Amino acid sequence: MTTAADETTVLPSVPPTGGPAHGSAPGLAQIEARDITAWFGDRKVLDRVSLTMPAGGITALIGPSGCGKSTFLRILNRMHELVPSAQLAGEVLLDGEDIYDPAKRLIDARRAIGMVFQKPNPFPAMSIRENVLAGLKLTGTKASRSTREHLVESCLGKAGLWAEVKDRLDAPGGGLSGGQQQRLCIARSLAIKPRVLLMDEPCSALDPTSTRVIEETMKELAHEVTIVIVTHNMQQAARVSDTCAFFLASQGTPGVIVEHGDTGAMFQSPQDPRTSDYVHGRFG
Ligand code: ADP
Ligand code: MG
């Protein structure tokens, strides 16, 4: 498990340079995991997991606690390697290029593949505006005042928060409600223009109204960023995702994907009885 402190320290991992904050969109990216096996120490927690997460789609990862969903997600943006005992085999291809290729920079993977966590983790004392710009500011990325102002408005807009905060951009991020804080974290992720956005149970700490707002935000965002979401909420997986993967680790064995595919099909006519049992709430 990660702590909020870990997550906060990961955030600044955006490049100090890397072009203007406002370049043209590089287009939608597919992310593909090939034969991912993961260990903590000598304990194998994922075994040869392969999954293609289509460009411009929302992929939901579902399955009981402990089956390796968060580990898989963290492997998709090279956060798994932050854990000292963690090891990994396999490939993660972002538009066909392996993010673990030794010739590739860690920082490029983290910039291209953003992450939103279960517990909203804005910088509480920083203003709303500063939170959105934190990724740029912490790394010294140069942007003119007008560029920054435009970025603040566009990212808060995309995160579905602009209308609620536009008159108090200098108020502290910590003063927002939980749901607003999570949308602020989404805006902060978007400011560094990721091509993929990973979300690990982003609504599990939120009330139903905030959850619906975030779900609407995700659907809007999918037009410009590929989304992968871990959720324990089957209704949420059914509402927001296009494709779905069901993870399971039975009786101490490493996690595997039992079934994956079109979300509608997975919920209406699952091929594996274990998927059927899980999506109908019979275990987990
Ligand atoms: P999920 O997100 O599906 O609940 P996780 O990916 O968090 O599952 O965990 C998968 C397995 O890996 C679990 O057995 C968990 O205890 C173990 N695990 C997760 N993080 C660590 C860690 N930092 N150190 C050791 N074991 C871990
Ligand atoms: Mg998890």
Side-chain angles (χ1 to χ4, degrees):
M1 299 293 274
T2 53
T3 64
D6 285 336
E7 291 154 8
T8 304
T9 54
V10 170
L11 180 77
S13 303
V14 290
T17 56
H22 260 296
S24 55
L28 289 164
Q30 169 180 288
I31 185 160
E32 179 185 356
R34 279 198 192 154
D35 282 334
I36 293 292
T37 299
W39 295 262
F40 288 105
D42 53 14
R43 183 153 168 260
K44 193 194 277 187
V45 299
L46 287 172
D47 191 20
R48 299 190 43 148
V49 172
S50 296
L51 184 66
T52 298
M53 291 147 275
I58 301 180
T59 299
L61 311 181
I62 61 170
S65 286
C67 64
K69 304 177 302 296
S70 293
T71 301
F72 181 76
L73 203 67
R74 292 160 59 85
I75 286 169
L76 298 181
N77 83 338
R78 295 189 59 173
M79 281 177 52
H80 181 63
E81 63 201 67
L82 294 175
V83 179
S85 69
Q87 293 199 67
L88 169 69
E91 294 178 326
V92 175
L93 307 179
L94 180 65
D95 267 352
E97 295 196 32
D98 188 1
I99 65 169
Y100 285 94
D101 180 333
K104 296 251 185 256
R105 298 190 315 163
L106 170 65
I107 219 157
D108 290 335
R110 295 266 176 77
R111 181 175 60 160
I113 306 164
M115 177 86 98
V116 171
F117 298 91
Q118 178 172 5
K119 185 169 172 290
N121 61 346
F123 298 107
M126 273 191 196
S127 72
I128 292 167
R129 175 191 280 110
E130 288 167 340
N131 263 283
V132 177
L133 297 172
L136 308 182
K137 192 172 177 181
L138 283 165
T139 55
T141 302
K142 293 267 185 286
S144 69
R145 174 185 283 267
S146 66
T147 299
R148 291 198 308 270
E149 286 307 300
H150 186 267
L151 199 57
V152 168
E153 179 169 350
S154 71
C155 292
L156 287 170
K158 287 174 192 169
L161 188 58
W162 175 250
E164 288 161 62
V165 301
K166 64 182 165 50
D167 298 324
R168 50 171 169 152
L169 295 175
D170 293 315
L176 298 174
S177 72
Q180 289 172 328
Q181 288 189 16
Q182 193 63 302
R183 281 178 281 147
L184 180 58
C185 292
I186 293 171
R188 184 176 63 183
S189 301
L190 295 176
I192 56 170
K193 302 207 169 290
R195 304 190 68 202
V196 177
L197 191 58
L198 310 176
M199 308 178 93
D200 196 350
E201 301 188 45
C203 302
S204 62
L206 306 181
D207 62 79
T209 305
S210 301
T211 296
R212 292 306 282 254
V213 175
I214 302 248
E215 289 179 4
E216 291 308 315
T217 301
M218 288 172 60
K219 288 187 192 170
E220 292 291 320
L221 288 175
H223 299 297
E224 57 186 271
V225 60
T226 301
I227 295 179
V228 185
I229 177 178
V230 173
T231 179
H232 274 123
N233 180 328
M234 292 303 101
Q235 288 77 24
Q236 176 165 74
R239 281 193 299 262
V240 302
S241 71
D242 308 298
T243 56
C244 190
F246 172 48
F247 284 65
L248 192 61
S250 43
Q251 290 165 0
T253 60
V256 294
I257 293 181
V258 168
E259 183 168 349
H260 67 90
D262 175 76
T263 300
M266 288 263 299
F267 279 80
Q268 280 149 37
S269 50
Q271 301 297 300
D272 191 294
R274 294 169 295 175
T275 313
S276 177
D277 285 347
Y278 186 74
V279 301
H280 292 113
R282 288 194 278 269
F283 74 94

